[in-house]
Amino acid sequence: MIPRSRTVSLLALCALGAICLSGCASEKRPVQELKPLALKEQVSNIVKSADGYAVTWAGVLSNANPWHFGEHVVATIVGHDAKGTEVVRMDQPLDAVPPGGSLAFTGQATASEKPAKVTIQYRPARWRAAARIPSAFQRFPVSRVQTLPQKDGSYLITGYVGNPYQISASSLVVNALLRDKEGKLLGGGSTFVDDVKTGSPPRFILTVSGLPQGTKVARTDITARTWGSTGRPYEELALAGAAPVHTVKPVTEPFPIDRNTQVVSEHKQ
């Protein structure tokens, strides 16, 4: 039998605990503030074409949030003539911006009148938490890149894009950004590669045109990414895991004595 004094004390403690729990439950958890996407770089070029003026552009969006995808982003490209009249407008859906990463994009449109100014804006992204840690989203390696100037002023760019994951990537977008010797963005272009298997990098070929006459390209930055307005394709690859670095069994015989062990033993003596 519990003494009356102890019973009163227990009831008081329970009541106090209930009040504390009620107060904690009523408190709202702090909402994580996500930083908006930032348009780090943009450039546009205008050249005369057979049916008016060819307007080309390139840009780089940056995502400072390491745990969230920026999805359903749409860029709006607007061109005005010298009098301020709008002569070209285009909405360009963009691919998902990876957590803590960036997104290079390029595009082109035709204007009947020559734009004097072209601007790039974008609608705010819809944020979605990533299913894996940031380090799980590896870059797609690019190798053997060649940038070849053509007689018409364009540039032919070729190379190979790899897949660091264990399963095949159904479709990847390859972007090329051209820069001068100071690193300034000059223009860019893009293409697609399909069914990218681990260990079998396909070749990509793309052309960058519409650059001003006399442009001198000193560097080409190539990036590859999954295609689509959401990060689901990228997540599926990351969830499958990265491919092992060494996939071929060694053919040489192992050392009779581990050299590291021998060195440590000699050092201790």
Side-chain angles (χ1 to χ4, degrees):
M1 182 175 180
I2 302 175
R4 179 179 176 81
S5 60
R6 292 189 179 181
T7 302
V8 173
S9 299
L10 288 172
L11 290 174
L13 287 172
C14 290
L16 182 61
I19 292 172
C20 291
L21 289 174
S22 176
C24 293
S26 63
E27 292 181 1
K28 293 183 179 179
R29 292 183 178 180
V31 179
Q32 182 181 3
E33 293 185 3
L34 297 175
K35 298 179 181 179
L37 296 175
L39 187 59
K40 292 176 57 179
E41 296 178 280
Q42 61 173 308
V43 68
S44 59
N45 295 301
I46 304 160
V47 295
K48 190 72 175 70
S49 63
D51 51 355
Y53 292 89
V55 182
T56 61
W57 60 86
V60 179
L61 275 174
S62 177
N63 179 8
N65 304 293
W67 300 95
H68 290 76
F69 278 98
E71 300 182 332
H72 303 288
V73 185
V74 178
T76 301
I77 295 86
V78 181
H80 295 86
D81 63 12
K83 296 180 180 179
T85 303
E86 184 178 299
V87 293
V88 63
R89 172 182 285 268
M90 181 175 177
D91 288 334
Q92 181 184 11
L94 302 180
D95 299 322
V97 189
S102 60
L103 175 78
F105 64 94
T106 65
Q108 60 182 16
T110 301
S112 56
E113 302 293 332
K114 183 178 181 179
K117 183 180 180 181
V118 177
T119 59
I120 302 176
Q121 300 176 344
Y122 64 93
R123 301 174 193 171
R126 298 180 189 175
W127 298 106
R128 184 175 61 81
R132 293 291 312 271
I133 60 175
S135 60
F137 298 97
Q138 299 187 27
R139 293 184 178 183
F140 298 92
V142 178
S143 60
R144 290 176 281 175
V145 176
Q146 288 186 310
T147 303
L148 306 172
Q150 306 298 298
K151 292 181 179 180
D152 61 356
S154 64
Y155 285 83
L156 180 68
I157 302 166
T158 65
Y160 294 81
V161 58
N163 179 7
Y165 299 100
Q166 295 194 43
I167 61 176
S168 300
S170 59
S171 183
L172 297 178
V173 186
V174 180
N175 276 281
L177 298 181
L178 305 183
R179 301 181 182 275
D180 63 14
K181 61 181 181 179
E182 281 80 28
K184 181 182 178 182
L185 181 61
L186 301 173
S190 62
T191 188
F192 290 87
V193 287
D194 298 323
D195 192 24
V196 184
K197 295 182 174 63
T198 305
S200 301
R203 188 185 187 208
F204 65 85
I205 302 175
L206 63 90
T207 301
V208 178
S209 58
L211 299 176
Q213 189 174 6
T215 298
K216 294 183 179 180
V217 175
R219 192 180 90 208
T220 304
D221 294 340
I222 305 291
T223 57
R225 65 174 187 270
T226 53
W227 177 83
S229 61
T230 74
R232 297 293 185 187
Y234 205 175
E235 276 188 332
E236 290 176 1
L237 293 171
L239 288 169
V245 176
H246 301 289
T247 57
V248 180
K249 185 178 180 180
V251 294
T252 58
E253 292 294 332
F255 293 114
I257 300 176
D258 189 339
R259 292 180 179 178
N260 290 332
T261 305
Q262 186 178 8
V263 170
V264 172
S265 301
E266 291 176 354
H267 177 72
K268 288 182 179 180
Q269 293 176 2

